[in-house]
């Protein structure tokens, strides 16, 4: 199995049941999740040798997070123990015209205070073929930004392909800070993944007249900024998910990719949302799986989009679908008929 590595924070997710509002809830559903951990789960599920790099406190909650990842086949040998806390995020799931809300309680988490000396990156990237991180990790703290760059340097030293999901989070940093940090990190990246908002706020590229509120797409605008991004950063691929927000319950979902020569737009799925958290991570992991397994970039993109369309129907951060289920959707079976 090919070794793939992700690095970031896994958090305790506390979500309101039955689409309740925070002020209504008398209990919360508890699971674990986080951008890079979500990607690691999918890659393990697709049969890759998936490693997650992080730091968690040496207490029962930290152990519970590790146990949760192990359930889904992630290798946690590179999760070091120490620090004081597991980050938490609260989720209020929206419906119809009411949007979802996220409240973070993740300051001073173990990974945010981790140091480069906590990790043996030469060992971590030995025999690895792919490394994935997101813009969330360097946003956690100045120390986490330093840690991310050192991991990237080690990955390139070992000739590992690197992907990033830009993942701008306004509750963690400003666009000015994001652009300063992320622009520097792009020198190590081969595959850049994001959406229209991420590209603008983290790297300063705006795709034409696309509107993230209405979901109106202008594909020519994406093609233009993809060209600019490749010229500036020498990416092998630039990729964007395309979400058409009809409401919090119903979205159009597709993606586009550019390899420096050809621009390609995937099939679009109209999805009824059960849980959209982790949707972008499921797309990134599907794309990564496709590229690692030898698919051409168009087929890899289609696999990622189909996998993510299915994820939107699953509660929790993780995408628990099989390769066969994704390929069945790719073949056109979106009927949802009961399987007996």
């Amino acid at each position: 199995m090919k070794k793939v590595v992700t690095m970031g924070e896994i958090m305790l997710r506390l979500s309101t049941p039955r689409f309740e509002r925070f002020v209504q809830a008398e209990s919360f559903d508890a699971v674990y999740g986080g951008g890079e951990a979500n990607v690691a789960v999918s890659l393990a599920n697709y049969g890759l040798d998936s490693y997650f790099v992080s730091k968690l406190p040496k207490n029962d909650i930290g152990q519970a997070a590790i146990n949760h990842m192990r359930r889904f086949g992630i290798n946690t040998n590179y999760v070091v123990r120490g620090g004081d806390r597991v980050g938490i995020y609260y989720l209020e799931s929206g419906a119809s015209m009411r949007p979802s809300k996220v409240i973070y309680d993740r300051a001073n988490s173990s990974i945010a205070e981790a140091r480069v000396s906590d990790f043996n990156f030469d060992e971590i990237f030995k025999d690895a073929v792919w490394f994935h991180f997101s813009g969330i990790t360097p946003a956690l703290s100045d120390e986490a930004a330093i840690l991310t760059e050192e991991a990237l340097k080690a990955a390139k030293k070992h000739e590992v392909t690197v992907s990033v999901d830009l993942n701008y989070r306004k509750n963690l940093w400003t666009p000015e800070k994001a652009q300063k940090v992320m622009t520097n990190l792009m020198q190590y990246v081969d595959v850049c993944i994001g959406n229209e908002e991420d590209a603008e706020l983290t790297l300063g590229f705006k795709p034409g007249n696309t509107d993230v509120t209405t979901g109106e797409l202008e594909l020519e605008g994406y093609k233009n900024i993809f060209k600019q991004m490749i010229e500036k950063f020498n990416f092998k691929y630039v990729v964007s998910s395309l979400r058409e927000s009809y409401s919090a319950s119903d979205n159009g979902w597709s993606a586009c990719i550019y390899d420096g020569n050809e621009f390609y737009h995937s099939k679009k799925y109209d999805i009824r949302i059960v849980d959209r958290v982790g949707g972008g991570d499921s797309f990134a992991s599907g794309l990564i799986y496709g590229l690692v397994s030898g698919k051409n970039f168009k087929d890899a993109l289609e696999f990622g989009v189909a996998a993510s369309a299915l994820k939107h129907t699953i509660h929790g951060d993780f995408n628990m679908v099989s390769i066969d289920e994704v390929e069945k959707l790719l073949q056109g079976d979106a009927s949802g008929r009961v399987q007996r």
Side-chain angles (χ1 to χ4, degrees):
M1 295 189 295
K2 293 181 178 179
K3 179 181 178 181
V4 292
V5 180
T6 72
M7 184 181 80
E9 180 173 28
I10 186 167
M11 295 181 292
L12 172 62
R13 164 179 152 168
L14 300 175
S15 55
T16 59
R18 302 177 297 277
F19 296 94
E20 290 178 354
R21 308 216 66 186
F22 287 132
V23 294
Q24 289 179 282
E26 296 180 348
S27 64
F28 290 92
D29 295 326
V31 294
Y32 292 86
E36 294 88 348
N38 299 342
V39 171
V41 166
S42 287
L43 294 177
N45 194 43
Y46 297 146
L48 299 179
D49 193 12
S50 181
Y51 287 75
F52 181 60
V53 180
S54 192
K55 187 174 184 177
L56 287 166
K58 196 172 184 179
N59 60 30
D60 289 349
I61 303 302
Q63 188 62 49
I66 288 175
N67 293 349
H68 195 71
M69 288 185 283
R70 287 175 175 166
R71 284 180 59 196
F72 299 100
I74 296 177
N75 188 308
T76 59
N77 289 350
Y78 302 144
V79 177
V80 299
R81 306 301 294 273
D84 296 325
R85 67 182 306 245
V86 174
I88 298 170
Y89 81 95
Y90 299 87
L91 172 66
E92 176 186 290
S93 295
S96 191
M97 70 288 296
R98 177 173 61 84
S100 298
K101 289 184 178 181
V102 170
I103 296 174
Y104 288 133
D105 178 17
R106 64 197 302 181
N108 305 311
S109 65
S110 292
I111 188 61
E113 297 184 343
R115 299 292 187 270
V116 175
S117 58
D118 289 329
F119 302 94
N120 183 346
F121 284 124
D122 280 330
E123 175 63 27
I124 288 169
F125 290 113
K126 181 182 178 182
D127 299 325
V129 300
W130 200 285
F131 175 52
H132 178 77
F133 75 105
S134 83
I136 297 172
T137 300
L140 295 174
S141 65
D142 290 341
E143 292 82 3
I146 293 169
L147 179 70
T148 303
E149 184 167 14
E150 290 304 310
L152 288 166
K153 290 177 180 178
K156 300 316 289 185
K157 173 185 172 183
H158 287 267
E159 300 182 342
V160 175
T161 300
V162 173
S163 61
V164 63
D165 191 334
L166 297 174
N167 267 348
Y168 178 76
R169 295 292 183 266
K170 66 181 180 180
N171 291 332
L172 296 179
W173 57 2
T174 65
E176 292 75 21
K177 181 69 176 292
Q179 289 181 31
K180 179 180 178 181
V181 173
M182 294 296 285
T183 297
N184 173 55
L185 298 181
M186 291 307 102
Q187 65 183 297
Y188 307 103
V189 171
D190 301 293
V191 181
C192 182
I193 306 166
N195 61 30
E196 60 288 319
E197 188 175 30
D198 295 332
E200 180 179 3
L201 294 174
T202 63
L203 298 178
F205 294 93
K206 181 172 174 57
N209 295 318
T210 289
D211 187 322
V212 298
T213 303
T214 63
E216 294 179 3
L217 305 178
E218 184 188 42
L219 291 177
E220 191 61 32
Y222 285 89
K223 185 176 180 180
N224 289 336
I225 67 161
F226 284 6
K227 287 181 177 179
Q228 295 173 43
M229 292 168 75
I230 285 181
E231 288 172 2
K232 183 171 182 178
F233 299 114
N234 198 33
F235 298 134
K236 184 175 182 181
Y237 299 113
V238 183
V239 190
S240 180
S241 57
L242 303 171
R243 186 183 296 276
E244 297 172 71
S245 296
Y246 312 135
S247 72
S249 302
D250 295 279
N251 286 182
W253 184 250
S254 63
C256 53
I257 189 169
Y258 181 63
D259 70 345
N261 294 302
E262 186 176 358
F263 179 86
Y264 177 74
H265 180 213
S266 75
K267 176 182 178 180
K268 187 182 85 169
Y269 297 89
D270 287 323
I271 49 179
R272 171 63 56 88
I273 296 173
V274 171
D275 191 337
R276 65 166 284 180
V277 176
D281 304 319
S282 62
F283 166 65
S285 53
L287 173 73
I288 292 166
Y289 165 75
L291 294 173
V292 168
S293 63
K295 296 180 185 292
N296 65 53
F297 72 91
K298 296 178 184 179
D299 289 343
L301 187 78
E302 293 287 2
F303 188 94
V305 173
S308 186
L310 289 169
K311 160 63 193 81
H312 283 76
T313 70
I314 297 169
H315 181 72
D317 274 41
F318 297 162
N319 190 21
M320 293 173 279
V321 297
S322 67
I323 294 173
D324 287 345
E325 288 171 321
V326 177
E327 290 181 342
K328 188 172 184 179
L329 179 57
L330 284 169
Q331 292 164 9
D333 187 352
S335 66
R337 288 176 62 87
V338 176
Q339 303 296 305
R340 302 184 192 276

